[in-house]
Amino acid sequence: MGYKEADVALTVHDIWKSYTERIDTEIELSGWVRTERTSKDFGFIELNDGTFFKNIQIVYDNTLNNFDEITRITTGSSLTVKGKLISSPGDKQPFEIKASNIEVLGLCDQVFPLQKKRHSVEYLRTIAHLRPRTNLFRAVFKVRSLVAFAIHKFFTDRNFVYVHTPIITGSDCEGAGEMFGVSTLDMNKPPRKEDGSLDYSKDFFGKQTNLTVSGQLNVENFCMAFRNVYTFGPTFRAEKSNTQRHASEFWMIEPEMAFADIQDDMDISEEMVKYLISYVLENAPEEMAFFNQWVDKGLLERLSFVLNSDFGRVTYTEAMDELIRSGKKFDYKPEWGIDLQTEHERYLTEEVYKRPVFVTDYPKDIKAFYMRMNEDGKTVAAMDLLVPGVGEIIGGSQREERYDFLVKRIEEMGLSKEDYWWYLELRKFGTNKHCGFGLGFERMVMYMTGVENIKDVIPFPRTPGNCEF
RNA sequence: GGGAGCUUAGCUCAGUCGGUAGAGCAACUGGCUGUUAACCAGUUUGUCGGGGGUUCGAGUCCCUCAUCUCCCGCCA
């Protein structure tokens, strides 16, 4: 290496990974007190520095010159410990540190809201600045980080190019939902046109702009240059959705592949989901064991079943037949032409297939304009991936690559083809069959951790009426 | 946007028929020579979400507002 490696201090992670070689050696360690237990002449502290899921037990006794101070240490305080790493007589840990010196760096105030007991996730949301210090949230956000890395690794290993599509968009009609406006106009006295409407020509970009709801239209342009591409970034939806699986700001992965059809789209989706699961199982076994014990007892069994089975694949028409045949009472009566309701999706993925299932070839009227018209003229080459517990985790399609068909769909849906001039040009300059999908990043993290509310897999969640922190 | 439910100590909750509030944990004090959400004893802690009403009397019944949670719609 042509550069000097940074000289960093020993961490809890280092020690857990190499304690067998460090037995009876002197070490120094800094971290936060997770819990402590004291007796008259000795005590125990469980210390964690955030680098590993497990704690390290510190044993101390009244030979410390500041013994009285240490017995009064509170959960959450920060310390530097010097001492010898020894094998532990206790059952719960293979080793511990016999402290020769403990320095209190920052005492934790008595009103510290995190106690050594279970808190409700609802309460922890009100202290989002402190909740990453809990076992649950440390596990969640470690897994979130690993999934993000695994996504990049999956696509990079397959020679996909990562494209940063814009966050601010000038098209106000992407069709994927309500958008957040981006403006520097003075909201108290905005410029108006003669008819009284807002004059966006005076705004920062000289036109109305919004936060993106999808990078797809942009990334398709790069797809025509690099063949296989993907975006991975924040996405914004201004819908007042009030559910456990919607957020106003979330992250989305949108791959796009040229010279590929909807079957290829499903194949790569399935491969990716399985890759992400296996990557996390391999790289965060402590965290996954924690989820399996405290969050969802069936998690590990379910995930390993998913790894070893093929996802279901069914057309919308077949799925409707299945729902009608079931004779089950639904609030929304299944009928060809209506969109699949949540209760229908749950029935299919949780009761019929009991595993992830692709539903394909939806009626054209309930899907976006850019999806490819099938030969029947009634359905489009769309695919949704439904998973038990979370619902729709992926939505994708083969794109309409035929210029005339695309223009016709834009007009049928009452959109303006002038707004899509650059998107339409792709169909003139070397068009080809291509496809892609959007993976809800948080929904993937929910599926892999068993955590049921999207607010608990986002560091500082933004939802209607809530932008605290 | 539609619907349901919740709100009592720092946290998790109980509170019967309407009679002025309780437990566990935390914190604090003391005890304890190997703990594992340590244990034992003691002490402290309340605008019962806000406002209004019924009543001799409201945590409890009614109205209203707010927060949060869940379900549906929108979607990822």
Side-chain angles (χ1 to χ4, degrees), chain A residues 85-101:
Chain A
L85 192 146
I86 57 175
S87 61
S88 174
D91 298 332
K92 299 285 177 78
Q93 60 282 317
F95 67 93
E96 61 192 17
I97 294 171
K98 178 74 172 70
S100 54
N101 184 279

Side-chain angles (χ1 to χ4, degrees), chain A residues 14 31 56 98 104 114 140 148 195 203 222 292 327-328 330 332 348 353-354 358 360 367 419 438:
Chain A
D14 299 333
I56 289 182
K98 178 74 172 70
V104 179
L114 294 176
V140 164
D195 65 1
D203 205 346
F222 275 70
N292 197 58
K328 203 171 144 63
F330 292 107
Y332 291 84
L348 287 172
Y353 288 90
K354 295 186 170 66
F358 290 105
T360 62
K367 286 294 180 183
D419 289 339

Side-chain angles (χ1 to χ4, degrees), chain A residues 153-306:
Chain A
K153 182 162 169 52
F154 177 82
F155 286 116
T156 302
D157 285 353
R158 284 156 186 76
N159 202 28
F160 280 59
V161 169
Y162 176 33
V163 181
H164 292 134
T165 50
I167 306 293
I168 299 173
T169 168
S171 81
D172 60 354
C173 40
E174 291 184 29
E178 291 295 308
M179 305 176 86
F180 288 101
V182 174
S183 175
T184 56
L185 294 178
D186 182 350
M187 286 166 75
N188 291 310
K189 43 177 175 46
R192 291 187 186 278
K193 292 192 281 200
E194 282 182 17
D195 65 1
S197 63
L198 288 178
D199 185 0
Y200 285 106
S201 70
K202 301 280 200 306
D203 205 346
F204 188 87
F205 293 106
K207 64 189 294 193
Q208 187 173 2
T209 50
N210 297 290
L211 294 179
T212 184
V213 293
S214 166
Q216 182 203 317
L217 266 45
N218 288 293
V219 90
E220 275 191 45
N221 296 264
F222 275 70
C223 178
M224 295 299 134
F226 290 98
R227 179 163 182 157
N228 293 145
V229 295
Y230 71 106
T231 72
F232 182 13
T235 308
F236 308 88
R237 302 273 167 93
E239 267 115 18
K240 293 200 171 163
S241 301
N242 228 266
T243 79
Q244 60 197 135
R245 61 185 187 282
H246 288 87
S248 311
E249 178 182 311
F250 63 99
W251 284 55
M252 191 155 64
I253 296 90
E254 298 178 284
E256 193 74 26
M257 293 151 282
F259 310 107
D261 65 16
I262 191 159
Q263 298 302 324
D264 302 317
D265 210 22
M266 286 188 279
D267 290 345
I268 196 100
S269 299
E270 180 167 342
E271 190 186 353
M272 179 194 67
V273 168
K274 287 176 174 173
Y275 179 86
L276 298 180
I277 291 171
S278 65
Y279 186 88
V280 170
L281 287 174
E282 203 169 300
N283 288 279
E286 290 82 9
E287 284 83 356
M288 294 305 286
F290 178 85
F291 294 129
N292 197 58
Q293 186 179 354
W294 297 102
V295 178
D296 179 351
K297 297 274 186 207
L299 182 69
L300 291 179
E301 195 185 348
R302 192 170 66 245
L303 291 178
S304 72
F305 174 74
V306 166

